[in-house]
Amino acid sequence: MATEPQNSPFIKNLASSDKKTRDQALSSLRTYLSNRASIPTLDLLKLWKGLFYCLWMQDKPLHQQRLARDLASLVDILHADVVLPFLDCFWKTMAREWVNIEALRMDKYLFLIRQELNASWRYLSRNRWGDKEKVEKYMRILEETPLNAVDVKIPNGLRYHVLDIYVDELEKVGGDGWDLETLEVLLEPVRKLQEESKTKAVRKAAKEVLEDARLKKWRGEEVEKKDEDAEMAEDGADEEWGGIED
């Protein structure tokens, strides 16, 4: 097996106009990734550029969605030491290529981002989010690229989409049973964006995420509000006019 990804045919074949060739290249890539305990950052960036254009060349929505899921599933076959660098290079690739995505192709990349975010949450949620170091490292990855508060090179469109799906994908992975300490760590990149972004619309979008009703429910805040509403309803019932007394 080639030691350098750029020396392997599957890299350029990922962007082939022929679907069969792309599928074969993706299969070769799976074998390559599953057998590497470490991969240099430059090689990961080259791999993600190939994968970006692999999706670029794929037409028909159902095939696009299947491919996006397949790309997200690569996280599951990676050596533990490769996962976070792999995800880091994914976000860097999306930030770099975002301005080149045509309107007619945007939907499939939005779907890919959703799948990759979900895959990252699933990976980190193993053992009930027990590897705190990895969770914190991934939060720094999000802070440095898709949710970077100050870097003008990061497209706001990418920021908005990640914010839009952030809680959705957390809900799919974590359900309602959240450890509050873990939840607050996962929200830190959004909180920092809300506090430090120089763009009012970005700060507003981040604030809306932090005020999501599901987060309140997971923290128990919604339950308390319901209790208050129930007490008010009971008080109101006690004071309700009972008609003219004899």
Side-chain angles (χ1 to χ4, degrees):
M1 181 175 59
T3 57
E4 296 287 342
Q6 60 266 36
N7 293 335
S8 300
F10 65 75
I11 297 299
K12 67 176 183 179
N13 288 346
L14 286 170
S16 171
S17 59
D18 177 63
K19 185 178 183 303
K20 183 177 180 180
T21 300
R22 293 197 305 273
D23 289 346
Q24 291 174 342
L26 189 56
S27 177
S28 297
L29 176 60
R30 283 183 171 275
T31 301
Y32 170 82
L33 291 175
S34 64
N35 286 293
R36 299 300 295 266
S38 65
I39 303 176
T41 299
L42 181 59
D43 288 350
L44 287 172
L45 288 170
K46 290 178 179 179
L47 288 174
W48 264 114
K49 187 168 185 177
L51 293 171
F52 179 90
Y53 283 101
C54 184
L55 184 58
W56 181 282
M57 298 301 296
Q58 181 63 63
D59 57 6
K60 299 180 180 179
L62 289 178
H63 292 309
Q64 293 165 0
Q65 292 177 14
R66 186 178 300 114
L67 177 57
R69 292 190 182 96
D70 287 344
L71 298 187
S73 72
L74 292 174
V75 169
D76 299 326
I77 66 170
L78 295 173
H79 187 278
D81 292 338
V82 178
V83 174
L84 294 186
F86 183 80
L87 290 169
D88 185 29
C89 289
F90 162 72
W91 291 115
K92 283 182 168 61
T93 299
M94 291 308 306
R96 185 187 66 240
E97 301 292 342
W98 186 270
V99 296
N100 299 320
I101 302 175
E102 302 164 355
L104 293 176
R105 285 187 164 96
M106 182 58 77
D107 281 353
K108 57 185 173 183
Y109 287 104
L110 297 180
F111 187 77
L112 173 63
I113 290 169
R114 182 182 287 274
Q115 297 305 307
E116 289 292 341
L117 185 61
N118 181 272
S120 65
W121 292 152
R122 284 190 289 103
Y123 174 75
L124 295 174
S125 70
R126 294 173 185 173
N127 302 317
R128 298 188 176 185
W129 309 87
D131 195 329
K132 303 298 183 184
E133 182 180 0
K134 285 185 178 178
V135 172
E136 291 173 357
K137 283 183 177 179
Y138 188 60
M139 294 309 100
R140 288 196 292 272
I141 287 172
L142 294 181
E143 288 177 7
E144 290 171 2
T145 304
L147 297 181
N148 189 296
V150 296
D151 189 348
V152 296
K153 294 181 181 179
I154 303 299
N156 277 335
L158 178 58
R159 289 187 179 98
Y160 292 135
H161 183 58
V162 173
L163 289 171
D164 189 48
I165 64 176
Y166 206 86
V167 179
D168 290 347
E169 300 311 313
L170 280 177
E171 182 179 35
K172 291 175 185 176
V173 172
D176 291 334
W178 280 98
D179 170 74
L180 294 185
E181 182 179 352
T182 298
L183 182 60
E184 296 311 316
V185 172
L186 295 173
L187 292 173
E188 186 58 29
V190 181
R191 192 175 294 108
K192 181 175 286 190
L193 189 64
Q194 191 269 330
E195 294 172 351
E196 300 181 7
S197 176
K198 296 179 180 180
T199 304
K200 183 177 180 181
V202 172
R203 294 197 304 271
K204 180 180 177 182
K207 182 180 180 182
E208 289 175 352
V209 173
L210 296 172
E211 293 177 346
D212 190 294
R214 288 167 293 183
L215 297 181
K216 295 180 179 180
K217 179 181 178 182
W218 298 340
R219 294 187 183 109
E221 295 173 8
E222 189 173 279
V223 174
E224 293 177 4
K225 184 176 184 302
K226 284 182 178 179
D227 290 343
E228 292 174 1
D229 289 345
E231 290 175 4
M232 291 176 63
E234 290 176 3
D235 292 340
D238 291 340
E239 298 172 1
E240 186 176 359
W241 180 59
I244 300 175
E245 296 181 357
D246 293 336

